[in-house]
Amino acid sequence: MEKLIFMVFSVFVSHTRLLGGRSESAVLSWAVPVFVAFWGLLQAAYFVGYGWKISWLGAVEILVLGFLAGGFLGTEIEKRLGFSVFSWTGFVVGPA
């Protein structure tokens, strides 16, 4: 179950980082990179904790699945929903 949750989280975070480069708002131009950096640190802490307590091989598996989900699944969802809808959803869902 945690692998599925992390894959969904990776999809949203990977596409939210793209929002910062396209933003015309001064607030978003600094807020998006700060949030993405925080989410990246959260992901790294999750990997280390998962590897330390459960399995390092499982942590690598989650990392690979997260990259694949963020790339392939995220791109497909973005095509269907549109760039801004998907990125804004990720910006809101990420902290949740």
Side-chain angles (χ1 to χ4, degrees):
M1 182 67 174
E2 67 273 350
K3 293 177 185 177
L4 178 64
I5 293 170
F6 188 79
M7 284 174 55
V8 171
F9 181 74
S10 293
V11 168
F12 283 118
V13 170
S14 67
H15 287 273
T16 300
R17 66 179 168 77
L18 302 174
L19 186 63
R22 296 186 182 187
S23 175
E24 296 177 10
S25 168
V27 173
L28 284 179
S29 66
W30 69 266
V32 171
V34 168
F35 279 115
V36 170
F38 174 73
W39 294 330
L41 291 173
L42 183 67
Q43 286 176 325
Y46 178 79
F47 289 137
V48 171
Y50 191 90
W52 192 274
K53 291 184 177 187
I54 298 173
S55 164
W56 288 106
L57 187 58
V60 171
E61 179 185 4
I62 291 173
L63 176 67
V64 170
L65 289 174
F67 280 136
L68 292 175
F72 295 116
L73 184 62
T75 303
E76 189 61 35
I77 294 172
E78 185 179 310
K79 286 179 189 176
R80 296 185 192 279
L81 291 179
F83 171 77
S84 62
V85 171
F86 187 55
S87 294
W88 279 107
T89 304
F91 189 70
V92 172
V93 170

